[in-house]
Amino acid sequence: MAVPRSKTSKAVTKGRQTINMRLRASQLVPCNNCGNMVRFHHVCPKCGFYRGRQVLTPEAN
């Protein structure tokens, strides 16, 4: 059974853990209907389309 030679320092431990906790920017793709930039697998807030179908009625601003 493997046994560590010395204690892992807090800086090393936390530095390794923060790699997985960093924030990533969500990727945006153009809407197929209106060209507005939307997130993957989300309804377009501008036109209300998702995968070529009208899902929501867009709100008039």
Side-chain angles (χ1 to χ4, degrees):
M1 184 172 176
V3 179
R5 287 181 181 258
S6 60
K7 179 181 176 179
T8 306
S9 69
K10 293 177 187 176
V12 171
T13 303
K14 290 183 187 287
R16 183 179 63 246
Q17 291 172 347
T18 56
I19 291 171
N20 297 319
M21 291 191 299
R22 66 175 177 257
L23 295 175
R24 294 181 181 93
S26 60
Q27 291 199 325
L28 301 175
V29 294
C31 174
N32 292 335
N33 189 48
C34 67
N36 186 36
M37 297 302 281
V38 294
R39 291 179 14 202
F40 277 124
H41 307 291
H42 282 74
V43 178
C44 178
K46 187 175 179 183
C47 64
F49 272 73
Y50 177 69
R51 296 185 69 184
R53 286 180 278 156
Q54 182 77 33
V55 180
L56 297 174
T57 55
E59 298 178 6
N61 291 336

